[in-house]
Amino acid sequence: MPTLEFGLDTFLPVTVDESGSPIAGDQVIRNTVEEAVLAEAVGLDSFNIGEHYRTEFMDSAGHVVLAAIASRTERIRLGTSVTVLSTQDPVRLYTDFATLDAVSNGRAQLIVGRGSLTESFPLFGFDLADYEELFEEKLDLLVRLLREQPVTWSGKFRSALTNQFVSPPIPEGHIPTWVGVGGTPQSVVRAARFGLPLMLAIIGGQPERFAPYVELYKRALQQHGQSELPVGLHTLGFVAETDDEASRIQWPYYREQFEWAAQERGWRPPTYEHFLAEVDHGSMYVGSPETVAHRIAAVVRTLSLSRFDLHYAIGRIPHEQRMATIELFGREVIPRVRELLAATREADDALAEAVRS
């Protein structure tokens, strides 16, 4: 079984101080660098930043923040929790992350997606009516740039390339690129068709309902003549010393965040009962290290995961509490998950041996 990787994801939310007042955006960015440095120190495999163009998130230039983190770290992979490829220029995206890969000594990675929020479309002059076609075309160009330079390519939404080299060059296999999927079969099949790893983004509901998508992905890989590729999960969570403390800290910020989302998207406003249901059985990994570890181990087995990325500390949770959850996740949760999975494998092997004999 391949090694399970653990990452942390963030959108650089504008957090609050001890008095409940929002801190300045520049301080949010500096705090995030410190959070990433701690993530490496406690054993995380990757630190990943989203992409938004909103007043509540400071992640509009994630590659710059990742480069700052690269200067303070040595091992941890540095990537995106989502890059909204539909409104990016694949050539510029390539140059940004090829440069990040160079300054970080080969640690850059990407997750590309269509984006669940749409503010980047009017901001960069794209039509939402082209939502699907934009992503398909730009993914095609990005994959070519990563795999087979020089590139000769033409499309509908940007100028053509003829025998084009784009600098800086990257060694073969660098900048691993995943396709982020929110739950449509077409997106799952697209990832398989391009031969890219699949990252499931689950922010609500029981994760088990995504098992059919994993099976669909495996079948599609075979049908398109692709080798077996890893599946990852991006989901939400917060770790504290006890279950009660974790819920007490996370709930008011979760409520605030999802009340904003409910107003924008027409969702039902969150209730505490709904929050607890997500914590107990859904896509909120909130609790003590032991509780969170058992829930992660279960979903890793259910979805056959090779990577688990925790979008930690949802909402405006203060920096000090964000640091505390990173510490617990790295030092206590991850080792415990590995113990639980190893024990399960040993039990399965013993059962198989007993059946054979």
Side-chain angles (χ1 to χ4, degrees), residues 25 96 136 157 201 206 268 282 348:
D96 288 343
E136 176 78 20
F157 298 103
Q206 295 183 340
R268 198 180 314 177
D348 290 344

Side-chain angles (χ1 to χ4, degrees), residues 262-337:
Q263 292 172 5
E264 286 189 356
R265 305 193 192 190
W267 293 349
R268 198 180 314 177
T271 64
Y272 189 56
E273 291 72 22
H274 171 79
F275 171 75
L276 291 180
E278 289 289 342
V279 169
D280 290 339
H281 308 292
S283 297
M284 284 293 293
Y285 293 76
V286 172
S288 68
E290 187 71 9
T291 295
V292 172
H294 275 272
R295 292 213 56 224
I296 292 174
V299 77
V300 167
R301 291 192 296 266
T302 299
L303 298 180
S304 302
L305 300 178
S306 298
R307 177 177 170 184
F308 182 95
D309 283 5
L310 186 74
H311 185 169
Y312 64 101
I314 304 307
R316 302 196 297 164
I317 291 178
H319 171 60
E320 294 74 18
Q321 291 173 327
R322 300 172 71 82
M323 294 285 276
T325 204
I326 292 170
E327 183 94 27
L328 288 170
F329 187 62
R331 296 200 188 279
E332 298 190 29
V333 174
I334 292 174
R336 183 60 176 141
V337 173

